[in-house]
Amino acid sequence: LRDDRPFYGLQQGLDRTDRILTTIPEMAARYLDEIRTVQPHGPYIIAGYCFGGYPAFEMAQQLIAAGEPVAGLIMIEADAPGGVTLISAPLYKRVGRVVRRLRVRGVADSAALTFRRIHRSLRFRVWGPVRQLIQHRLHLIDVRLPAALRDVMHINARAAEAYASEMQSYDGDIVVLRAEKMLPNRVYADHLGWERYAEGTIRSIWIPGDHEGIWHRPNVEIYARQLEAVLDDAEARAGVGHVSLNQSTATRGHELTLNEPRSR
């Protein structure tokens, strides 16, 4: 971004010292507390990348409920509930993939890959909920969760799943920045599903690259120019100077970003 747009990032759990937040509303409230130390009042521009779309959406809702103006809400490769649907490939294609894998990797490597996928699935579906329950109980008696039991990605996935059932419509506009290269075996909604949650206008802007490739050159330069145009437009309509947050919340003269890991 331009030199006159300082960038701040908001992300929980990386240093493994703070209490890990396990719900979207409490994440949003914590982030807003941090943002208010830089910009006490709106208008704000908020954006979220990937999982960060959920906290960004909730932050905008909490700001509006508090009577604070939101100049813009930006979703960067962040899909709403039901915005991306995984479809199973036909049996003959799945068999073909297995045969090609055996031919390229051999039996031992293919078996190891299969076991790793089973292990990841068990970690998420079984161990993830157990870990969250343990953390919650330990927090009630003011005991810090051991580092070995913390897994932010799985906690975020569970938080997103719970939040999806309680999301309310957002009384405002949403801009969606989308990667041009999409994953196979998936059906993508027109605006990654956010059209179901926006009472105002919604538009999508395409970014070259895939979900993570948008951060690499030369794609990132194009992405930055597109994001700047969105921010400039939001600021002009709001009649203010700099404002942004990636999960992004913009502040006058400052930009803040929320980047949370999430399985897709």
Side-chain angles (χ1 to χ4, degrees):
L1 297 173
R2 297 190 302 260
D3 289 342
D4 63 346
R5 286 191 179 277
F7 191 89
Y8 291 78
L10 299 178
Q11 181 173 24
Q12 72 151 343
L14 291 185
D15 57 10
R16 304 300 171 106
T17 57
D18 294 334
R19 181 176 73 87
I20 304 299
L21 305 177
T22 60
T23 71
I24 301 299
E26 66 177 349
M27 291 178 195
R30 171 69 179 277
Y31 293 149
L32 288 176
D33 286 343
E34 296 292 334
I35 288 168
R36 289 185 178 105
T37 66
V38 177
Q39 179 183 336
H41 300 288
Y44 298 96
I45 300 175
I46 304 179
Y49 167 68
C50 194
F51 166 83
Y54 286 98
F57 184 86
E58 174 62 20
M59 290 163 68
Q61 298 283 46
Q62 291 187 17
L63 286 169
I64 290 176
E68 292 285 358
V70 177
L73 179 57
I74 307 168
M75 297 298 170
I76 304 169
E77 266 296 281
D79 50 282
V84 179
T85 304
L86 178 65
I87 57 175
S88 297
L91 179 60
Y92 75 90
K93 286 189 176 181
R94 283 180 281 169
V95 171
R97 282 202 296 265
V98 172
V99 171
R100 287 193 297 273
R101 188 186 307 143
L102 287 170
R103 187 179 302 162
V104 174
R105 291 175 171 266
V107 175
D109 282 352
S110 296
L113 176 63
T114 300
F115 282 120
R116 284 199 299 273
R117 288 178 173 174
I118 293 173
H119 178 251
R120 283 200 301 268
S121 178
L122 289 175
R123 283 184 64 206
F124 175 69
R125 298 186 181 279
V126 179
W127 182 226
V130 171
R131 181 169 41 234
Q132 277 192 277
L133 178 62
I134 293 173
Q135 178 187 358
H136 178 67
R137 295 301 181 187
L138 290 176
H139 175 65
L140 292 179
I141 58 175
D142 197 28
V143 174
R144 187 182 301 278
L145 182 69
L149 297 182
R150 302 176 193 163
D151 191 322
V152 174
M153 179 173 284
H154 291 140
I155 288 172
N156 286 347
R158 299 287 297 182
E161 181 181 353
Y163 184 66
S165 63
E166 60 190 48
M167 287 176 63
Q168 303 294 319
S169 294
Y170 170 64
D171 186 16
D173 303 335
I174 296 179
V175 176
V176 181
L177 298 181
R178 298 184 54 180
E180 292 177 349
K181 186 176 181 180
M182 293 175 280
L183 296 174
N185 299 329
R186 286 163 173 79
V187 175
Y188 290 76
D190 289 342
H191 302 288
L192 296 184
W194 292 108
E195 63 273 15
R196 295 194 292 270
Y197 297 94
E199 295 184 10
T201 61
I202 184 166
R203 63 189 177 109
S204 288
I205 299 173
W206 294 95
I207 308 170
D210 57 19
H211 181 67
E212 295 180 356
I214 63 173
W215 302 103
H216 301 293
R217 293 180 176 176
N219 301 333
V220 68
E221 283 90 352
I222 300 171
Y223 158 42
R225 302 292 81 77
Q226 292 169 326
L227 179 59
E228 282 178 342
V230 172
L231 296 174
D232 290 343
D233 179 64
E235 291 170 356
R237 287 186 288 108
V240 297
H242 285 346
V243 202
S244 166
L245 193 146
N246 178 4
Q247 250 168 31
S248 258
T249 301
T251 61
R252 187 176 185 85
H254 300 79
E255 305 195 13
L256 307 99
T257 283
L258 313 173
N259 300 313
E260 299 287 358
R262 172 183 167 205
S263 298
R264 287 187 60 97

